[in-house]
Amino acid sequence: LIAFAGASFVECPLTLDSRAVRMFLDTIRVGLIPASGTDIGGAIDDTIRAFKTSKAKTKAVILITDGENLTGDVARAANDARAAGLNIYPIGIGSEAGAPIPEVDADGRITGYKTDGKGETVMTRLDTETLRTVAEITGGALYTSQGESLDLSELFDILKSREKTDITSMEFTEYHERYQPVTALALLILLLEYIYSSRPLELERRDTFYYGSSRDR
C-alpha cells in the first residue's frame, strides 16, 4: 500500500495480513503527505522497489489516481515497471471537466474541499491519456469512474484468472522470561511466613520456662 502526492512512501509492505492493510488504509487522508502535487512516476518507482523481494509469478498493481501527473516521468517509470514484470491497472477517479477534492472525516462524511495556500479550492482533472499509456506499457487495463458508479467486476475477473503463486508464511513465538519478579515475591512471602509462624512457638517456650522456675522456687 503506497500513498503518494508530490512524494510517495510505502504505507504497508507486502503482507498476507489483510487486516493490517485495512488498518493502514484507514489512516490515509487528504493532506497526509505534506509535499503537494502528484508524482505518479515516483509512486511507480516505490512500487518496483517494494516488489523486489517478491517471488510471485504475477505482480499486479492497482493505481488509484486522477492521472493528472504534475511531476516525475510517468512513461519512464512505466517502462521500468514492465521490465520488472509488473502489470499496472489504473483506476481513474474524477472528472475530465475538473472537480474539487473532497475532504472527509473518520466516518466518510465530506467536511469540505482541499484548498491551496491562498485558500482557493484545488481542482483536479481526470487525465485518461496518461493512465491509458501506463496501462498499455505495462500490459494492464484502464478503468474509470462514470459519475458515482465504478464497475470493477472485469478487473476482479482478470486478477482471479492470473497465474497464482503459493506463498507460505512461518510464525515464530518469542518468549521473554519474566519469572524473576514473581519468584522474588514468592520467596519474600515464604520468608515472612517462616518468621511469623515461628514467633508464637518461641513465646510459648519462654512462658513454660517461667512457670516452671516459679514452682521450683
Side-chain angles (χ1 to χ4, degrees):
L1 178 62
I2 296 178
F4 68 97
S8 59
F9 65 93
V10 178
E11 183 79 9
C12 180
L14 290 171
T15 177
L16 299 176
D17 190 350
S18 59
R19 290 179 298 179
V21 178
R22 292 190 181 96
M23 181 184 69
F24 283 107
L25 184 61
D26 289 339
T27 65
I28 296 179
R29 295 286 184 273
V30 175
L32 173 67
I33 301 176
S36 59
T38 307
D39 185 2
I40 298 176
I44 295 176
D45 290 337
D46 280 346
T47 305
I48 296 173
R49 286 190 287 269
F51 268 106
K52 274 190 175 181
T53 59
S54 174
K55 298 180 180 180
K57 298 177 181 178
T58 296
K59 300 176 181 179
V61 180
I62 298 177
L63 174 63
I64 303 175
T65 178
D66 56 15
E68 190 176 18
N69 185 64
L70 302 178
T71 57
D73 189 346
V74 179
R76 188 272 311 159
N79 279 286
D80 291 344
R82 179 180 62 183
L86 272 63
N87 303 117
I88 300 179
Y89 297 86
I91 299 178
I93 303 295
S95 168
E96 293 184 356
I101 302 173
E103 294 181 326
V104 298
D105 58 18
D107 297 324
R109 294 188 294 264
I110 297 178
T111 58
Y113 295 92
K114 185 174 178 59
T115 58
D116 57 19
K118 299 179 181 179
E120 298 179 358
T121 302
V122 177
M123 301 295 291
T124 175
R125 290 175 175 79
L126 176 62
D127 185 353
T128 56
E129 290 303 317
T130 297
L131 297 182
R132 185 173 289 108
T133 299
V134 172
E136 291 175 353
I137 291 177
T138 62
L142 170 64
Y143 300 89
T144 58
S145 60
Q146 302 296 328
E148 295 183 356
S149 63
L150 181 60
D151 185 8
L152 296 177
S153 57
E154 180 182 338
L155 174 58
F156 296 152
D157 291 338
I158 292 175
L159 295 178
K160 288 179 182 178
S161 65
R162 300 293 300 272
E163 185 177 3
K164 305 295 189 301
T165 302
D166 290 333
I167 299 177
T168 58
S169 63
M170 300 181 66
E171 182 176 336
F172 297 91
T173 302
E174 183 178 355
Y175 293 97
H176 296 277
E177 301 294 346
R178 304 184 187 278
Y179 67 89
Q180 296 92 339
V182 178
T183 304
L185 179 61
L187 291 174
L188 177 61
I189 294 173
L190 290 174
L191 179 60
L192 293 174
E193 182 184 12
Y194 173 78
I195 293 173
Y196 284 101
S197 62
S198 61
R199 289 185 64 185
L201 180 59
E202 293 178 358
L203 292 174
E204 182 179 354
R205 287 176 179 174
R206 290 176 184 175
D207 293 343
T208 303
F209 177 76
Y210 172 79
Y211 291 123
S213 298
S214 299
R215 288 195 295 271
D216 291 341
R217 286 197 299 268

